[in-house]
């Protein structure tokens, strides 16, 4: 099994020289794959309890589970590993579990303190983990010999992972006992471990999105727009030529927040999305919004396709019906032809962001997402929705900020609505 020389210390994590391994680098650096291989090798050698973290884990899909299973089914086939839908085991008693780190509240941080007898803690996408979570997690790793592996992409020049682990990136220095290394794909390209498809895509991004290339592929944050969720939005994505057409399929993509309720009205082709209207109502119910839709478009002749938040398909405690059932039943009552296209579970936020950004400006320089200028709040989000610095979390307003800025509460929800439809029809497969 080949192991790149800069990652080889991971193979000797039980030797005692290092208790912390920090791997940084851009996309295609194979840092995550090497860490996963090293963990599996260590689990084979001796009974170990391993916890793999990411910032958010709403489901097992939002974890390193898929990466580990792919290795077990190929390179580690027949080596004593087996798994269920939540955990990975080895015949010697080793176990690998998956968890989320997001500090939504004090209680979620308190749960981290319940971790005990962990031998290896691996944090993927550590650039997104807050200082508050690190401050709770690190003191829990008190067991003698416990290993911490942190993997991150340097999306900002100021990151909690570097602050809490006392990393000096500029000089690539770290405290004694910490192995700190950076690898980027050009360094390992000659080894033949990276596909031609990956290289071709990297070259396209380098040509059309140079700031993004610097950050995502070379690990060097650069450019004033990189903390914007929609990085390459421009006037070229706005067109007053977009028209509602009564005999084309009508896509209605919905987010079911109450204040405000925010829906987008779209037409689509095989490769393009056209948003011709938005329905934005403060302090509204789902019934209020669907009534507004009927008032605006009373004579639609083709089908209406419902897209959006998968959680809207669950029955609510205050109603006998799900939000989708309310919309569907009301529209059918008024003679509309209805189709529902939603996932069984919501995709991750980052998958929606990637899909949407590819419509706004693809890696090959094409724009496939267009919005009518009357869609005030959608356009407001394109320029004002940002990440918290150094994280992959949306920087959404607090209640006090909303009280002092009436426009602040319109951030986020309409982006959710439009990104659901983007990801549903044009999902991104990461290379």
């Amino acid at each position: 099994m080949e192991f790149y020389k800069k990652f080889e210390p991971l193979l000797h994590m039980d030797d005692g020289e290092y208790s912390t391994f920090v791997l940084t680098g851009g996309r295609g650096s194979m840092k995550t794959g090497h860490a996963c291989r090293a963990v599996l090798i260590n689990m084979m050698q001796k009974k170990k309890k391993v916890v793999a973290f990411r910032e958010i884990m709403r489901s097992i899909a939002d974890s390193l589970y898929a990466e580990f299973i792919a290795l077990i089914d190929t390179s580690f086939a027949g080596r004593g590993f087996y798994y269920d839908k939540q955990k990975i085991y080895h015949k010697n008693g080793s176990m690998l579990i998956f968890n989320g780190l997001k500090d939504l509240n004090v209680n979620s941080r308190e749960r981290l303190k319940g971790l005990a007898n962990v031998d290896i803690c691996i944090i993927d996408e550590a650039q997104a983990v807050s200082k508050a979570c690190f401050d709770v997690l690190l003191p829990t790793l008190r067991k003698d010999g416990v290993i911490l592996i942190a993997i991150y992409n340097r999306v900002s020049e100021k990151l909690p992972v570097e602050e809490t682990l006392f990393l000096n990136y500029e000089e690539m220095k770290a405290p004694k006992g910490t192995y700190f290394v950076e690898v980027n794909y050009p360094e390992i390209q000659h080894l033949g471990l990276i596909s031609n498809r990956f290289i071709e895509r990297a070259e396209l991004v380098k040509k059309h999105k140079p700031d993004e290339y610097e950050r995502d592929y070379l690990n060097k944050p650069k450019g004033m727009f990189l903390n914007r969720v929609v990085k390459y939005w421009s006037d070229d994505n706005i067109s007053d030529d977009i028209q509602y057409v009564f005999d084309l399929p009508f896509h209605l993509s919905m987010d079911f927040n109450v204040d405000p309720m925010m829906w987008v009205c779209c037409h689509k082709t095989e490769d393009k999305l056209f948003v011709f209207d938005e329905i934005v109502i403060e302090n509204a119910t789902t019934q209020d919004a669907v009534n507004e839709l009927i008032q605006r478009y009373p004579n639609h002749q083709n089908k209406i396709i419902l897209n959006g938040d998968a959680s809207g398909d669950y029955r609510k405690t205050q109603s006998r019906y799900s939000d989708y059932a309310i919309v569907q039943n009301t529209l059918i009552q008024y003679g509309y032809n209805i189709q529902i296209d939603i996932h069984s579970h919501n995709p991750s936020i980052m998958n929606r962001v990637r899909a949407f950004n590819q419509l706004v400006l693809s890696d090959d320089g094409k724009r496939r997402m267009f919005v009518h200028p009357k869609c005030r709040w959608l356009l407001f989000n394109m320029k004002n929705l940002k990440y918290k610095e150094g994280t992959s979390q949306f920087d959404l307003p607090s209640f006090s900020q909303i009280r002092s800025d009436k426009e602040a509460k319109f951030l986020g929800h309409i982006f959710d609505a439009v990104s659901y439809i983007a990801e549903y029809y044009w999902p991104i497969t990461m290379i």
Side-chain angles (χ1 to χ4, degrees), residues 1 45 117 128 166 190 230 286 299 303 318 353 386 401:
M1 183 179 300
Q45 294 170 343
N117 301 317
F166 305 103
H190 69 283
V230 185
T286 300
N299 300 309
K303 59 187 174 183
Q318 71 270 24
V353 170
K386 299 178 180 179
Q401 288 172 322

Side-chain angles (χ1 to χ4, degrees), residues 328-389:
Q328 181 181 32
N329 292 342
T330 303
L331 292 177
I332 289 175
Q333 179 183 350
Y334 279 83
Y336 295 89
N337 179 17
I338 304 303
Q339 175 180 321
I340 300 179
D341 284 357
I342 59 172
H343 289 301
S344 58
H345 295 87
N346 280 330
S348 70
I349 293 173
M350 294 314 299
N351 284 351
R352 290 193 280 116
V353 170
R354 291 185 187 109
F356 186 81
N357 274 317
Q358 281 296 304
L359 288 181
V360 169
L361 180 65
S362 64
D363 291 343
D364 58 1
K366 296 179 181 177
R367 297 188 184 273
R368 301 185 290 122
M369 162 78 187
F370 304 95
V371 177
H372 195 281
K374 72 178 179 181
C375 298
R376 173 189 177 187
W377 294 116
L378 181 55
L379 296 178
F380 175 76
N381 274 254
M382 296 302 96
K383 294 185 177 180
N384 293 286
L385 185 61
K386 299 178 180 179
Y387 294 112
K388 293 180 181 178
E389 186 176 357

Side-chain angles (χ1 to χ4, degrees), residues 260-288:
M261 185 80 70
M262 307 186 87
W263 297 358
V264 291
C265 305
C266 318
H267 293 311
K268 66 177 282 292
T269 63
E270 183 177 348
D271 65 340
K272 294 182 178 66
L273 182 66
F274 303 89
V275 182
F276 56 82
D277 199 3
E278 62 184 16
I279 295 176
V280 177
I281 309 175
E282 298 178 73
N283 295 305
T285 66
T286 300
Q287 190 66 58
D288 293 331

Side-chain angles (χ1 to χ4, degrees), residues 163-318:
E163 178 183 354
T164 55
L165 296 181
F166 305 103
L167 307 174
N168 182 337
Y169 174 80
E170 297 303 324
E171 299 180 16
M172 287 306 294
K173 291 183 178 180
K176 184 179 180 180
T178 296
Y179 181 74
F180 184 29
V181 65
E182 178 181 32
V183 176
N184 292 299
Y185 85 90
E187 180 178 340
I188 59 175
Q189 184 176 346
H190 69 283
L191 299 176
L193 301 176
I194 303 175
S195 70
N196 289 332
R197 185 183 174 198
F198 176 93
I199 301 299
E200 291 169 359
R201 182 169 180 176
E203 289 300 316
L204 285 173
V205 176
K206 182 178 181 180
K207 177 180 178 181
H208 296 289
K209 305 175 180 178
D211 284 355
E212 190 169 316
Y213 174 79
E214 290 276 318
R215 185 196 68 173
D216 291 350
Y217 289 85
L218 300 184
N219 209 37
K220 310 243 181 248
K222 178 183 176 182
M224 62 181 295
F225 298 119
L226 283 176
N227 70 325
R228 278 183 19 183
V229 174
V230 185
K231 302 175 183 63
Y232 293 97
W233 184 264
S234 82
D235 290 344
D236 292 334
N237 294 104
I238 305 172
S239 174
D240 55 12
D241 291 333
I242 299 173
Q243 297 181 10
Y244 158 69
V245 182
F246 75 97
D247 58 355
L248 284 179
F250 184 130
H251 287 266
L252 180 65
S253 194
M254 299 169 284
D255 178 80
F256 294 104
N257 186 60
V258 173
D259 186 26
M261 185 80 70
M262 307 186 87
W263 297 358
V264 291
C265 305
C266 318
H267 293 311
K268 66 177 282 292
T269 63
E270 183 177 348
D271 65 340
K272 294 182 178 66
L273 182 66
F274 303 89
V275 182
F276 56 82
D277 199 3
E278 62 184 16
I279 295 176
V280 177
I281 309 175
E282 298 178 73
N283 295 305
T285 66
T286 300
Q287 190 66 58
D288 293 331
V290 73
N291 290 344
E292 177 66 22
L293 174 75
I294 293 168
Q295 182 177 344
R296 293 189 196 183
Y297 303 100
N299 300 309
H300 189 69
Q301 298 301 304
N302 207 311
K303 59 187 174 183
I304 293 182
I305 302 170
L306 307 182
N307 305 111
D309 183 0
S311 64
D313 203 28
Y314 306 144
R315 182 178 295 180
K316 300 298 180 65
T317 55
Q318 71 270 24

Side-chain angles (χ1 to χ4, degrees), residues 95-110:
M95 180 174 65
L96 170 56
I97 63 177
F98 302 86
N99 212 327
L101 272 171
K102 187 174 182 180
D103 55 333
L104 292 173
N105 51 51
V106 173
N107 289 333
S108 62
R109 294 199 297 273
E110 286 295 321

